[in-house]
Amino acid sequence: MKIGHEALVIGNWKMNPQTDAMAKRLATDIKKTLAHAEGVEVVVAPPAIYIPIVESVRNSKKSFLVGAQNVHTETIGAFTGEISIPMLKSFDVRYVIVGHSERRKAGETDVDVNAKMTAIIKSGLTAVVCVGEAKRDHGAQYLGLIEMQIRDAVKGLSRAKLGNLVIAYEPVWAIGTGNTATPEDVHEMKLFIEKTLTDLYGRNYAQKVRILYGGSVNPKNAGEIMHDGKVDGFLVGGASLSAKDFGSIVTAVKSMLV
Ligand code: PGA
């Protein structure tokens, strides 16, 4: 299959693993699996405290890039417990996840998501904005929710910057549950997200945004979802904690690109 962009696979480690030694081992093992991953951009997003370790393992253009799971909108000052964009940039972080459902559950609002997206993209980094419904209803009202999440997230973002935006469709019911969305569901949502962006920016510009799927992606289902769902790649949670599984997902994505 042909996709309009370089494929993208992001591993979101969430609050794992438990020690710095384990983080170093996992990053090292992941790097080894990526020796032949040309054509797929791979990002590893560890907990912030492990970013320096993961960045030092990376240490080469030919492996993965480093991502962050969250960031604050201000660049410096009295914000206890927060991490700024300049701090992330000083460790060569390139991607930042925003609005993950686990963070939305902890209080992150659409307004916060928009403010973070704006700050991230303004600084030259790429924002990975997560959207997704908690459940599906027969009247397809979830489509309206996704549209609103997207419209709220991208408020004020200019066309010229759309290449720095990634949208990850992550239905909440599929995250960490093993209930993956079907490839048909994923394709329907991919088209719907494209339509929403096209209404806002016009078709040519909308196509600059990469659209990922996330929610119980594993080595067995990745190829089919990529092929039939026609997404640009994946945001992977649980399976990114196994270098073998994560590497197999990247390989599955790569094999779909021919
Ligand atoms: P999962 O998580 O792959 O474990 O379902 C995906 C995510 O939360 O990004």
Side-chain angles (χ1 to χ4, degrees):
M1 75 184 267
K2 264 199 167 16
I3 58 174
H5 312 275
E6 189 175 29
L8 175 65
V9 178
I10 304 176
N12 172 14
W13 288 4
K14 308 190 180 184
M15 202 170 72
N16 300 285
Q18 255 172 341
T19 67
D20 59 341
M22 290 163 81
K24 187 169 184 184
R25 161 58 63 88
L26 179 56
T28 307
D29 290 348
I30 286 176
K31 186 174 168 178
K32 282 188 201 143
T33 70
L34 302 179
H36 304 289
E38 310 84 19
V40 184
E41 182 140 279
V42 179
V43 178
V44 172
I49 196 167
Y50 296 149
I51 285 175
I53 300 170
V54 171
E55 171 57 23
S56 73
V57 169
R58 178 184 93 86
N59 190 29
S60 118
K61 288 196 179 66
K62 281 187 83 178
S63 60
F64 54 80
L65 296 172
V66 181
Q69 298 174 15
N70 184 32
V71 78
H72 196 268
T73 52
E74 296 294 331
T75 53
I76 192 166
F79 303 99
T80 301
E82 300 290 350
I83 288 171
S84 74
I85 291 171
M87 292 172 192
L88 295 180
K89 287 182 88 168
S90 72
F91 286 99
D92 211 12
V93 167
R94 306 287 179 81
Y95 285 78
V96 187
I97 299 169
V98 198
H100 190 280
S101 63
E102 287 151 17
R103 294 207 54 81
R104 289 184 190 260
K105 202 170 150 199
E108 195 160 289
T109 65
D110 285 330
V111 172
D112 298 330
V113 170
N114 176 252
K116 289 182 182 190
M117 180 285 301
T118 304
I120 291 162
I121 293 185
K122 190 170 160 219
S123 77
L125 301 185
T126 297
V128 182
V129 173
C130 301
V131 299
E133 76 282 2
K135 56 176 195 268
R136 291 203 161 195
D137 56 291
H138 293 304
Q141 285 189 18
Y142 62 90
L143 291 174
L145 174 95
I146 302 294
E147 178 174 354
M148 248 172 52
Q149 284 180 337
I150 293 173
R151 283 180 178 267
D152 285 349
V154 303
K155 253 179 212 154
L157 180 65
S158 73
R159 291 180 164 164
K161 299 284 187 192
L162 289 174
N164 281 30
L165 176 66
V166 174
I167 295 197
Y169 169 58
E170 295 210 308
V172 182
W173 48 268
I175 296 177
T177 59
N179 296 329
T180 322
T182 64
E184 296 72 37
D185 288 341
V186 172
H187 187 220
E188 176 199 58
M189 195 54 86
K190 157 99 190 299
L191 293 174
F192 183 75
I193 292 170
E194 274 176 352
K195 181 189 176 304
T196 302
L197 292 168
T198 299
D199 289 348
L200 288 166
Y201 293 105
R203 189 163 176 72
N204 289 347
Y205 285 98
Q207 282 175 347
K208 294 190 189 306
V209 179
R210 284 168 290 176
I211 300 173
L212 310 183
Y213 168 74
S216 297
V217 175
N218 61 43
K220 287 210 180 88
N221 60 29
E224 196 189 355
I225 300 178
M226 177 87 185
H227 187 268
D228 295 346
K230 302 196 176 4
V231 280
D232 297 308
F234 297 115
L235 179 53
V236 184
S240 72
L241 299 174
S242 153
K244 189 163 165 275
D245 286 356
F246 190 60
S248 301
I249 291 169
V250 173
T251 305
V253 165
K254 192 186 161 194
S255 71
M256 291 300 152
L257 295 178
V258 213

